[in-house]
Amino acid sequence: MVYIKSAAVALLAMGATTAWQPTNPSFASRGLFQSGKGVASRGPSALNVVTDPTSSGPMGGFTATNSENRRVVPENPNGRPTMKVVYVVLESQYQSSMTAAVKRINVGNDNMAVECVGYLLEELRNEDAFEQFKKDVESANVFIGSLIFVQELAEKVIDVVKPARENLDAVLVFPSMPEVMRLNKVGSFTMKNLGQSKSVVADFMKKKKQEDGSSFEEGMLKLLRTLPKVLKFLPSDKAADARTFMMSFQYWLGGSPENLQSLLTMVGQDYVDPIKAEMEGKEKMVAEEPMLLPDKAIWHPVAPDAVFETPQDYFKWYDNEFCPDAGIDPKTAPTVGILLQKSHINTKDDTHYVSLIAEMESRGARVVPVYSGGLDYSGPVKEYFVDANGKPIVDTIVNLTGFALVGGPASQDHKKAANVLKDLNVPYMCAVPLVFQSFEEWQSSELGLHPIQVALQVSLPEIDGAIEPIIYAGREGATGRSVPLADRVNLLADRALKWANLKNKEKADKKIAITIFSFPPDKGNVGTAAYLDVFNSIKAVLDQLKKEGYNVGDAPTTKEEIMESVLNDPEAKISSPELNVAYRMNTNEYYELTPYATELEENWGPAPGNLNSDGQNLVVYGKQFGNVFIGVQPSFGYEGDPMRLLFAKSASPHHGFAAYYTYLEKIFQADAVLHFGTHGSLEFMPGKQVGMSGTCYPDRLINSLPSAYLYAANNPSEATIAKRRSYSATVSYLTPPAENAGLYKGLKELKELISSFQGLRGNEGRGPAIVNSIVSTAYTCNLDKDIDLPDLETYNAQSDTAENRDNIVGQVYAQIMQIESRLLPCGLHTVGVPPTAEEAVATLVNIAQLDRPEDGIEGLPRVIAASIGRDINDVYRGNNNGVLDDVDLNTRIVEASRAAVRALVNQSTDASGRVKEVKTIFDDIGGFFGQKKPYTKAIIDAGFSNVEEDRLQPVMEYLEFCLKQVVADNELGGIMELLNGEFLMPAPGGDPIRNPDVLPTGRNMHALDPSSIPTAAAVEVSEDVVRKMLEKLQDENGGEFPESIAFTLWGTDNIKTYGESLAQVLALVGVRPVSDSLGRVNKVELIPLEELGRPRIDVVVSCSGVFRDLFINQMNLMDRGIKMAAEADEPIEMNFVRKHAQQQAEELGVSLREAAARVFSNSAGSYSANVGLAIENGGWEDESQLQDQFLTRKGFAFNADKPGMMEQQADLFKSALSTVDVTFQNLDSSEISITDVSHYYDSDPTKVVQGLRNDGKKPMSLMADTTTANAQVRTLSETVRLDARTKLLNPKFYEGMLSTGYEGVREIQKRLRNTMGWSATAGEVDNFVFEDANDTFINDAEMQQRLLDTNPNAFRDMVTTFLEANGRGYWDTSEENIERLQELYAEVEDRIEGV
């Protein structure tokens, strides 16, 4: 017997005879049962390939299905009473069983007939479908619902079913949100108190949850098993009704047509009056016992027994009978554990499962397919994926349910899931079946996977540690049956086995491709990665690979030699512009090995083209050492092309880019690729947002290569894009240790003068003289731009009042302390090198300053301030207003905090200055003898003698925990775990100061559950920021409120702050987010004007492409909230949203609702305005080009009424922006500021708005700074100055960078270029910034020589930037300076060209 053929026959017998495959010829999929390695060749697949039969039209881009396909009307009732049943389910697998059950009753039951219609939950978004649902429920006898977990749709179900509940004969709701479950009604049995007060069921559920962490459905299953005991406590009639409900649930879980027939028969004859009347005097049909499979088991489609309850029974059959016939060697074959949904097995809707199993086995792999009756798969995983000794028997796990391992779509236990998966320690993939879309809809959608599925079936499994959300199946529109997608099933099988290969292959034989980046493309930029010393880190990885037995050949042992090998010259001092060429690929080979190559010709012409090409061949840059290849990923290719930068949608990869990945996979034949640092271009290539198809370029490029991706821990949003779009498992790395920026030159002198003044404040002779010096030095330091200083020529402190003198000194003091205390990442991080004890102090000080009320922790400054009877918020307020005493007190509190943290760290510091083992506060023996702890003594010594040690203890214990996290190191370990085919533990990404759980690094980084934001704490912080912003704007505008504010929303910022900037948008409009009963934010409500106390401010929200990808549900929230405001019947002087929407509706000839679109982004699959690319690469003519790019690329509107698409709405975007008074962005982290990256100015619309406003007035530009506990709102120009003083012009910063050599020069130049970016987009850079930078880096001959010797290419870019800033009118300087720069440019060119 050949079991593979049997599998095909089984498929046909089950009635699902199609595997859907797109008609697009680029899908090069193999036959379903094509021969694999070590398997005898077989005949053609038994599956027919068809196009998707869905025929109904689109519904907002998603869910183009028709409930009429699920409507069954009895053909010939013959006078029998007819029971009408309406059901709503999350997924469609019940459709075929329910239809069959109803038809059986209608044919074979003499006492009743059934009319039935079903709805998929997501269909209720459509107005026509919802109206039909209402009509159906009004005429129904029985309502059935299951897995209703989407808040806004749950409310729709309640709105319809609740009013009809009294007239319905029965309501059966199986696991769903509590408010939907409360609709249950079976005779006298209800769940009206569920989740509210005492009930037997609720008590049982609560008890089970406390005992073993059970989810609601797990509790229900356990309740079924203990039913007899529970029913004892109920009156007899209630017991009978409760029993009916529980039996109904069992039938429902059984899922087969026979079970559902029994359910409908039982409910009809016992609860539907016309049928009960018909049955009088007749014998009731005895309900069959539920035909149930075991709660959990191993299932195989061609096994002689339905299921196996022990792994021993399964392998006895599988290894001894099946594998020999199938040509699989059980001793050497890789083994894949597969997780299945029991409901699909019950309903025999399993074609998609059979398809993947067949593909795995055709490649010579063993499979262990297991299911669970509940939503907790941790039990089956522990039971069936290990042998009798507890040793794992699987090499990879593929979860085909698409849900989180524990809790499914309802309530998850991610910690439990991750621990279970770590015990098995194999890669864990979570593939996704389409639920709310047909194949055709998904294929044609630019967004890809439905947003609800992204939230439930991509985001939540990622928190468990899952990788690779590959779409592998969907449903047939007409029948609702699941169908495999052939090319995706092939890809999933290939990738699962490649991961298994990493587990099993000898290390010495494994080939690893380390991929580095060069951005902007230039020889001085090879090895770019955010805050990472790339070549030093590669050295560390090579050392570790060699240590673990990988073949690294004659790999260099120093950073410089590695650079030499890739660059040809370590400092880019070379006459040839070429890097080291590893391979030349001729065009015949390229076209033969790259199936999609001809499709790139539309954008780039025929290969080889002029990028990564020598004219005849495509060129791959890099160097091979043994089995390790270090390669340079090509760039996008259009960075310097003004026309391409202007395209609304991004171009395909060029031939050189495609050739690079073809080389890795098919010529070098890498077993895995390690993408090195934040970040490359692969994950940002065109394609769907989530749920790639075979035509999406990230999918085509990475194809079957396992990818590990080293990503900065503070950038979870872009790391998540890499996970979802390029199938990468991420490994987080630390950003460099932060230090306080400190003071230098005139700023340091100012602090000394202020210190002198404080000592001589009352001395009428010397005090005023010092104030005069302070004013003079403040002017020298250009502080007159930030604070209101008296006129330098006329001011004399001698004739001023003491109060005024204090005020001047207080303002200067506050300003320089802002600079001094600002956190500054120093130098670059090397993978595997944790911070020293001293480097950990500044990070801990900033962790210590935040209150964490949810953990019962007061911030250290709050405790210290309380010891002298002050509230820290009052101190901050006085400090910000320049009150000298408060500025001084704030400074002393900061110094006391530092001293306390240093004392804590010193306890655990060894002789080498590192923390090896953290000593706890209980290790201090002195404490037992009544002595103060070292940190308490430090605070007392700093002048706060009344500080309470007991009150300090919570925050200090927390800091001990954080210290352990900060100095822990698993980065090299994390990389090796992935390359060795192991499970890498998940961890959140974000700001380690706000969320120390980000540490330790070296784990698989994930974002957060998108439905969890904005949190209540984020809403509270955002309201404070909005209040400060509006106060500042009223002060500037004679008490008037702004009418419209342009907002920029970032993915990473909202992850780090749990949605603060999102909440700011809602707060301005005057709507509040509302959590559902599961704590998810899926709803907004208008705040009444009386409560708001001010007008509703209009907003124009520009979302980054990454925000769009991660938070499309939050875009939905904003759009709904803004439209609620626009449609509110309120006076327009109190509702600027309505005022402008009415004007735009009239101007554009559209409805008010359409005119109220305010949430914009790029088209799906495109990212950024390309303004940063143009400025970084010099590819722009003038500012109008940059503004056109912004409007063209960012003018795609999100519409909650049509959530499946981003529509280009350029006219509406321009019209909305033309009313803007203020542009606004948020800074939430000290690690990434406005000149560190180009993103901030890339999305800044300041000059765009100026060009669109009728009065041509430039809007005010503001930045909210929530990087410290003392949140502030500054103007953009203030923020640019602060950033320049703390970074570009600060010796502590640039010397720290220069200490890393080649990369450091590039980092300095990057900040100069980004500073110029702000001149281009906002015109908010002061002349002195360029002048001081020129003095620092060009006019200082010694510094100039250092830069030239260290990285001449990057130094040439610096000289170019100065000349460009002058040429474009952003920097006014002397002719002498310009001549020097021009001479220097020629000199550097000669040096680089070797003249």
Side-chain angles (χ1 to χ4, degrees):
M1 177 182 179
V2 179
Y3 283 101
I4 294 290
K5 288 181 181 171
S6 302
V9 174
L11 273 173
L12 292 165
M14 288 167 190
T17 58
T18 57
W20 189 83
Q21 180 168 300
T23 51
N24 189 320
S26 66
F27 282 81
S29 73
R30 296 156 29 172
L32 189 63
F33 301 111
Q34 184 174 323
S35 63
K37 187 178 176 185
V39 184
S41 181
R42 311 186 199 292
S45 166
L47 299 187
N48 301 314
V49 175
V50 297
T51 53
D52 179 38
T54 306
S55 57
S56 41
M59 291 163 53
F62 285 128
T63 322
T65 51
N66 191 339
S67 62
E68 295 308 305
N69 290 329
R70 282 171 241 111
R71 188 179 295 277
V72 182
V73 179
E75 291 176 13
N76 189 4
N78 284 336
R80 292 173 295 171
T82 298
M83 169 176 77
K84 182 171 180 180
V85 178
V86 179
Y87 66 93
V88 174
V89 289
L90 181 70
E91 299 179 82
S92 62
Q93 65 261 43
Y94 276 86
Q95 178 179 338
S96 57
S97 285
M98 186 64 99
T99 301
V102 170
K103 286 181 176 178
R104 287 181 184 195
I105 292 172
N106 290 341
V107 169
N109 191 315
D110 295 335
N111 300 311
M112 62 188 284
V114 179
E115 177 187 342
C116 176
V117 61
Y119 291 83
L120 295 184
L121 184 61
E122 195 63 20
E123 286 171 351
L124 301 183
R125 289 186 194 277
N126 177 273
E127 283 183 27
D128 293 341
F130 185 62
E131 287 305 313
Q132 185 58 50
F133 172 61
K134 273 189 198 171
K135 289 177 189 169
D136 280 323
V137 171
E138 282 166 9
S139 59
N141 300 95
V142 177
F143 173 79
I144 301 174
S146 178
L147 294 183
I148 298 170
F149 283 113
V150 180
Q151 174 72 29
E152 59 197 288
L153 299 176
E155 287 173 4
K156 286 192 162 201
V157 171
I158 293 166
D159 288 346
V160 172
V161 177
K162 195 172 183 180
R165 186 172 177 270
E166 284 307 307
N167 298 323
L168 285 161
D169 295 308
V171 178
L172 296 165
V173 182
F174 306 123
S176 295
M177 299 185 73
E179 55 266 49
V180 189
M181 296 286 291
R182 286 197 282 272
L183 295 171
N184 266 302
K185 167 185 144 180
V186 183
S188 59
F189 175 82
T190 71
M191 289 190 178
K192 64 184 179 185
N193 296 323
L194 185 69
Q196 294 179 332
S197 61
K198 289 186 74 66
S199 73
V200 175
V201 174
D203 285 351
F204 183 88
M205 301 295 185
K206 196 171 179 183
K207 188 177 172 200
K208 290 310 298 174
K209 187 162 181 65
Q210 286 168 347
E211 283 173 13
D212 56 12
S214 301
S215 69
F216 185 84
E217 183 164 296
E218 296 299 318
M220 293 281 280
L221 288 169
K222 292 183 175 81
L223 185 54
L224 287 177
R225 295 184 205 116
T226 54
L227 196 59
K229 294 177 193 170
V230 174
L231 297 181
K232 282 181 193 170
F233 300 102
L234 297 173
S236 58
D237 59 331
K238 283 198 173 184
D241 294 331
R243 184 176 183 282
T244 300
F245 175 78
M246 288 301 176
M247 288 288 284
S248 301
F249 186 36
Q250 285 188 309
Y251 285 132
W252 184 258
L253 289 174
S256 64
E258 296 82 2
N259 279 309
L260 297 186
Q261 182 181 352
S262 296
L263 185 159
L264 296 174
T265 304
M266 178 180 70
V267 171
Q269 65 186 14
D270 287 348
Y271 297 96
V272 177
D273 289 336
I275 298 174
K276 282 164 70 177
E278 176 72 17
M279 295 291 296
E280 275 185 30
K282 298 182 184 178
E283 191 176 339
K284 281 187 181 181
M285 290 185 71
V286 179
E288 298 287 335
E289 281 298 307
M291 298 165 62
L292 298 177
L293 291 171
D295 277 349
K296 58 187 177 185
I298 304 175
W299 171 87
H300 193 284
V302 297
D305 299 319
V307 295
F308 301 88
E309 293 197 65
T310 70
Q312 292 78 13
D313 288 346
Y314 175 69
F315 285 114
K316 184 177 175 184
W317 166 75
Y318 190 68
D319 287 350
N320 298 326
E321 295 182 41
F322 180 89
C323 287
D325 281 347
I328 298 169
D329 182 350
K331 292 188 176 67
T332 60
T335 303
V336 180
I338 303 176
L339 303 180
L340 314 173
Q341 244 179 299
K342 189 184 177 202
S343 59
H344 282 282
I345 310 296
N346 287 332
T347 57
K348 298 185 171 56
D349 179 24
D350 53 20
T351 318
H352 52 325
Y353 295 164
V354 177
S355 175
L356 182 72
I357 289 167
E359 284 296 343
M360 293 285 193
E361 291 173 339
S362 75
R363 288 162 170 74
R366 297 195 312 163
V367 295
V368 189
V370 307
Y371 69 75
S372 171
L375 297 173
D376 183 348
Y377 279 75
S378 60
V381 162
K382 287 190 284 191
E383 191 170 334
Y384 298 133
F385 290 166
V386 297
D387 63 17
N389 300 316
K391 184 182 173 188
I393 54 175
V394 295
D395 301 304
T396 308
I397 298 171
V398 181
N399 181 346
L400 295 184
T401 73
F403 288 122
L405 191 75
V406 180
S411 53
Q412 300 75 37
D413 187 338
H414 298 296
K415 190 173 180 182
K416 178 181 178 182
N419 288 331
V420 167
L421 291 165
K422 189 61 189 172
D423 287 344
L424 287 168
N425 205 25
V426 298
Y428 173 60
M429 302 166 72
C430 192
V432 185
L434 295 172
V435 174
F436 303 132
Q437 298 149 281
S438 69
F439 281 129
E440 295 285 10
E441 291 171 291
W442 164 71
Q443 186 65 27
S444 60
S445 164
E446 290 183 336
L447 293 175
L449 190 61
H450 193 288
I452 297 294
Q453 271 200 271
V454 174
L456 293 178
Q457 294 186 289
V458 179
S459 299
L460 296 177
E462 281 172 349
I463 303 174
D464 290 344
I467 55 175
E468 308 203 6
I470 295 171
I471 308 294
Y472 73 99
R475 53 180 174 70
E476 235 172 19
T479 66
R481 294 188 71 84
S482 299
V483 200
L485 178 54
D487 86 304
R488 304 287 82 199
V489 170
N490 271 310
L491 181 73
L492 181 56
D494 283 341
R495 294 191 63 83
L497 294 180
K498 285 278 187 87
W499 279 107
N501 174 59
L502 286 174
K503 186 88 176 164
N504 297 325
K505 194 170 183 177
E506 289 294 328
K507 290 177 181 175
D509 298 332
K510 269 192 263 188
K511 289 188 169 183
I512 307 298
I514 295 174
T515 293
I516 60 177
F517 313 119
S518 175
F519 196 81
D522 181 274
K523 192 142 190 187
N525 293 324
V526 175
T528 42
Y531 284 125
L532 189 65
D533 188 334
V534 168
F535 288 106
N536 233 354
S537 297
I538 288 175
K539 175 188 175 298
V541 170
L542 288 172
D543 290 346
Q544 189 67 27
L545 286 167
K546 186 174 182 179
K547 186 175 167 186
E548 295 204 15
Y550 286 75
N551 174 8
V552 300
D554 56 351
T557 54
T558 68
K559 166 185 173 176
E560 289 70 26
E561 289 171 318
I562 295 168
M563 286 168 61
E564 165 81 50
S565 65
V566 176
L567 297 177
N568 276 358
D569 181 281
E571 310 300 356
K573 296 171 289 197
I574 181 173
S575 55
S576 162
E578 292 256 308
L579 304 171
N580 190 68
V581 176
Y583 189 77
R584 296 183 193 274
M585 188 183 299
N586 67 50
T587 51
N588 289 339
E589 183 179 34
Y590 167 66
Y591 279 108
E592 184 186 336
L593 296 177
T594 313
Y596 52 89
T598 54
E599 293 177 51
L600 309 185
E601 293 178 2
E602 181 186 351
N603 281 301
W604 303 100
N610 58 5
L611 295 163
N612 288 72
S613 158
D614 61 9
Q616 261 97 47
N617 305 290
L618 287 151
V619 174
V620 176
Y621 294 119
K623 182 76 173 175
Q624 186 171 341
F625 304 104
N627 284 337
V628 177
F629 172 68
I630 302 171
V632 183
Q633 184 192 76
S635 65
F636 283 111
Y638 51 75
E639 294 85 357
D641 184 336
M643 282 308 295
R644 288 186 196 275
L645 290 170
L646 192 55
F647 292 160
K649 297 184 180 182
S650 300
S652 68
H654 57 81
H655 294 294
F657 203 102
Y660 179 79
Y661 281 93
T662 294
Y663 170 79
L664 295 188
E665 184 180 22
K666 295 175 181 172
I667 296 170
F668 177 65
Q669 295 184 329
D671 292 295
V673 57
L674 172 59
H675 288 98
F676 217 87
T678 306
H679 57 73
S681 309
L682 170 68
E683 61 269 38
F684 297 104
M685 285 295 172
K688 299 182 188 306
Q689 279 183 203
V690 188
M692 302 289 104
S693 74
T695 56
C696 296
Y697 283 107
D699 179 284
R700 287 173 153 181
L701 290 158
I702 198 67
N703 198 27
S704 68
L705 275 174
S707 170
Y709 209 136
L710 200 55
Y711 237 91
N714 66 354
N715 194 347
S717 61
E718 289 178 322
T720 302
I721 303 300
K723 287 166 84 92
R724 295 176 185 178
R725 302 188 84 241
S726 64
Y727 308 141
S728 296
T730 56
V731 186
S732 61
Y733 65 83
L734 269 177
T735 47
E739 296 180 29
N740 295 105
L743 299 172
Y744 53 92
K745 298 179 183 172
L747 297 170
K748 192 173 183 184
E749 187 185 332
L750 267 176
K751 188 176 182 185
E752 289 162 1
L753 284 168
I754 290 167
S755 179
S756 301
F757 171 74
Q758 286 175 303
L760 297 165
R761 200 166 163 190
N763 186 319
E764 282 298 322
R766 295 176 63 190
I770 296 172
V771 174
N772 286 336
S773 298
I774 287 170
V775 170
S776 171
T777 309
Y779 270 102
T780 306
C781 294
N782 296 291
L783 293 185
D784 56 307
K785 311 281 193 305
D786 301 278
I787 51 183
D788 191 15
L789 289 173
D791 185 275
L792 182 60
E793 301 298 322
T794 60
Y795 180 72
N796 184 352
Q798 201 74 52
S799 55
D800 206 350
T801 64
E803 187 182 347
N804 268 355
R805 291 197 294 260
D806 279 2
N807 184 43
I808 291 166
V809 174
Q811 286 194 62
V812 174
Y813 196 7
Q815 193 63 36
I816 64 169
M817 291 318 295
Q818 256 187 80
I819 298 166
E820 193 270 348
S821 62
R822 199 163 181 79
L823 270 195
L824 183 67
C826 279
L828 298 170
H829 176 66
T830 297
V831 167
V833 180
T836 63
E838 181 59 32
E839 288 166 343
V841 169
T843 301
L844 291 174
V845 167
N846 280 273
I847 290 172
Q849 71 175 339
L850 297 179
D851 294 322
R852 300 175 198 271
E854 67 280 6
D855 299 316
I857 294 170
E858 291 180 292
L860 199 46
R862 184 170 300 283
V863 178
I864 295 170
S867 73
I868 56 166
R870 291 292 303 273
D871 180 277
I872 193 64
N873 293 337
D874 290 337
V875 177
Y876 289 151
R877 206 168 292 116
N879 176 84
N880 298 347
N881 292 331
V883 176
L884 182 57
D885 289 340
D886 282 345
V887 178
D888 186 51
L889 175 58
N890 188 46
T891 305
R892 291 196 301 115
I893 289 171
V894 169
E895 286 168 357
S897 299
R898 283 181 196 160
V901 170
R902 182 165 275 109
L904 181 81
V905 173
N906 284 345
Q907 284 186 135
S908 305
T909 306
D910 64 16
S912 67
R914 292 202 171 272
V915 175
K916 295 283 167 55
E917 186 183 346
V918 176
K919 292 182 181 169
T920 72
I921 56 179
F922 301 108
D923 292 338
D924 176 30
I925 296 169
F928 291 109
F929 300 102
Q931 295 176 16
K932 297 284 186 192
K933 307 278 184 200
Y935 54 78
T936 312
K937 287 182 199 160
I939 295 170
I940 291 169
D941 292 346
F944 298 92
S945 55
N946 293 327
V947 70
E948 297 173 35
E949 190 161 82
D950 289 349
R951 198 166 167 183
L952 285 171
Q953 189 165 323
V955 68
M956 300 315 285
E957 284 180 10
Y958 185 67
L959 290 178
E960 279 171 6
F961 159 75
C962 293
L963 177 59
K964 288 176 189 170
Q965 305 296 89
V966 169
V967 299
D969 172 35
N970 187 47
E971 290 172 358
L972 286 172
I975 292 168
M976 297 314 300
E977 283 176 57
L978 290 179
L979 298 184
N980 293 333
E982 297 173 13
F983 177 77
L984 184 59
M985 284 293 276
D991 181 359
I993 288 166
R994 287 175 183 267
N995 180 15
D997 288 341
V998 167
L999 305 170
T1001 47
R1003 294 181 291 171
N1004 185 4
M1005 185 170 26
H1006 59 75
L1008 40 71
D1009 174 1
S1011 63
S1012 66
I1013 69 167
T1015 61
V1019 169
E1020 191 178 325
V1021 172
S1022 71
E1023 286 170 351
D1024 185 46
V1025 169
V1026 164
R1027 179 184 53 75
K1028 286 179 179 175
M1029 173 169 61
L1030 293 178
E1031 281 173 4
K1032 189 176 183 83
L1033 289 167
Q1034 282 182 288
D1035 287 347
E1036 302 275 344
N1037 271 321
E1040 294 291 314
F1041 283 101
E1043 291 198 3
S1044 180
I1045 297 179
F1047 248 83
T1048 306
L1049 293 188
W1050 300 101
T1052 287
D1053 296 12
N1054 277 282
I1055 292 171
K1056 288 178 182 175
T1057 65
Y1058 298 94
E1060 280 178 16
S1061 51
L1062 164 67
Q1064 289 164 6
V1065 171
L1066 299 175
L1068 281 166
V1069 173
V1071 297
R1072 66 165 65 93
V1074 181
S1075 297
D1076 66 20
S1077 55
L1078 297 176
R1080 300 174 309 193
V1081 184
N1082 290 316
K1083 187 179 168 186
V1084 286
E1085 63 184 21
L1086 272 182
I1087 300 169
L1089 283 174
E1090 311 80 70
E1091 184 184 336
L1092 192 61
R1094 59 164 172 81
R1096 301 189 193 280
I1097 311 295
D1098 197 5
V1099 290
V1100 184
V1101 186
S1102 177
C1103 301
S1104 73
V1106 175
F1107 183 94
R1108 173 206 63 212
D1109 285 5
L1110 299 187
F1111 296 118
I1112 200 145
N1113 291 312
Q1114 277 58 36
M1115 290 170 77
N1116 190 314
L1117 273 186
M1118 286 188 288
D1119 187 62
R1120 280 158 46 205
I1122 292 164
K1123 284 172 177 168
M1124 284 166 77
E1127 292 172 338
D1129 187 10
E1130 295 169 345
I1132 57 172
E1133 66 274 11
M1134 290 301 288
N1135 186 335
F1136 300 137
V1137 186
R1138 185 173 178 81
K1139 174 183 175 181
H1140 296 150
Q1142 285 178 342
Q1143 291 168 355
Q1144 284 146 8
E1146 190 175 336
E1147 173 194 333
L1148 300 171
V1150 296
S1151 71
L1152 177 72
R1153 190 166 178 83
E1154 288 171 311
R1158 293 289 186 273
V1159 182
F1160 296 89
S1161 186
N1162 297 82
S1163 73
S1166 293
Y1167 301 84
S1168 89
N1170 281 351
V1171 169
L1173 282 177
I1175 288 172
E1176 285 166 344
N1177 293 277
W1180 55 300
E1181 300 294 326
D1182 54 28
E1183 289 178 3
S1184 66
Q1185 179 198 319
L1186 303 180
Q1187 290 158 29
D1188 287 345
Q1189 282 177 209
F1190 180 87
L1191 290 167
T1192 305
R1193 288 182 60 83
K1194 302 298 287 188
F1196 288 77
F1198 178 84
N1199 184 347
D1201 302 330
K1202 293 188 279 187
M1205 60 191 78
M1206 299 289 299
E1207 290 183 307
Q1208 188 149 27
Q1209 295 274 14
D1211 291 342
L1212 185 54
F1213 190 38
K1214 289 176 187 175
S1215 180
L1217 285 170
S1218 70
T1219 66
V1220 163
D1221 304 305
V1222 180
T1223 62
F1224 183 82
Q1225 293 200 55
N1226 281 277
L1227 273 181
D1228 63 272
S1229 165
S1230 56
E1231 295 171 307
I1232 301 176
S1233 193
I1234 62 168
T1235 60
D1236 292 328
V1237 291
S1238 61
H1239 302 54
Y1240 287 111
Y1241 71 76
D1242 180 273
S1243 288
D1244 173 63
T1246 303
K1247 285 188 177 177
V1248 175
V1249 170
Q1250 184 179 11
L1252 292 171
R1253 281 181 64 105
N1254 293 332
D1255 58 8
K1257 181 183 167 191
K1258 190 163 89 169
M1260 190 172 184
S1261 293
L1262 296 180
M1263 302 284 294
D1265 181 345
T1266 58
T1267 57
T1268 67
N1270 182 15
Q1272 301 203 46
V1273 176
R1274 301 186 183 93
T1275 65
L1276 174 57
S1277 56
E1278 282 177 306
T1279 310
V1280 172
R1281 288 192 292 272
L1282 181 58
D1283 218 49
R1285 286 170 177 142
T1286 52
K1287 288 188 176 162
L1288 183 64
L1289 305 176
N1290 186 354
K1292 195 169 188 177
F1293 173 77
Y1294 58 72
E1295 289 295 347
M1297 284 300 171
L1298 285 173
S1299 69
T1300 64
Y1302 166 87
E1303 290 100 334
V1305 183
R1306 184 177 65 220
E1307 291 292 327
I1308 297 166
Q1309 152 56 12
K1310 183 167 80 174
R1311 271 128 191 115
L1312 180 66
R1313 176 65 64 168
N1314 288 340
T1315 301
M1316 189 184 75
W1318 284 109
S1319 295
T1321 63
E1324 295 289 345
V1325 183
D1326 292 282
N1327 202 68
F1328 84 84
V1329 174
F1330 291 112
E1331 195 70 22
D1332 287 5
N1334 184 67
D1335 288 343
T1336 301
F1337 301 114
I1338 305 298
N1339 289 353
D1340 181 330
E1342 186 183 337
M1343 173 62 76
Q1344 182 195 113
Q1345 195 61 43
R1346 281 173 71 192
L1347 298 171
L1348 179 59
D1349 290 343
T1350 309
N1351 189 334
N1353 287 73
F1355 182 59
R1356 176 182 58 186
D1357 292 346
M1358 180 182 282
V1359 173
T1360 305
T1361 304
F1362 279 119
L1363 288 170
E1364 192 178 344
N1366 173 257
R1368 294 187 186 276
Y1370 303 144
W1371 173 37
D1372 183 23
T1373 192
S1374 67
E1375 283 298 319
E1376 182 189 350
N1377 276 342
I1378 297 304
E1379 284 168 14
R1380 183 186 294 110
L1381 285 162
Q1382 288 167 339
E1383 289 165 10
L1384 198 51
Y1385 183 84
E1387 186 185 322
V1388 181
E1389 277 283 281
D1390 289 346
R1391 171 81 172 269
I1392 290 170
E1393 298 298 332
V1395 176

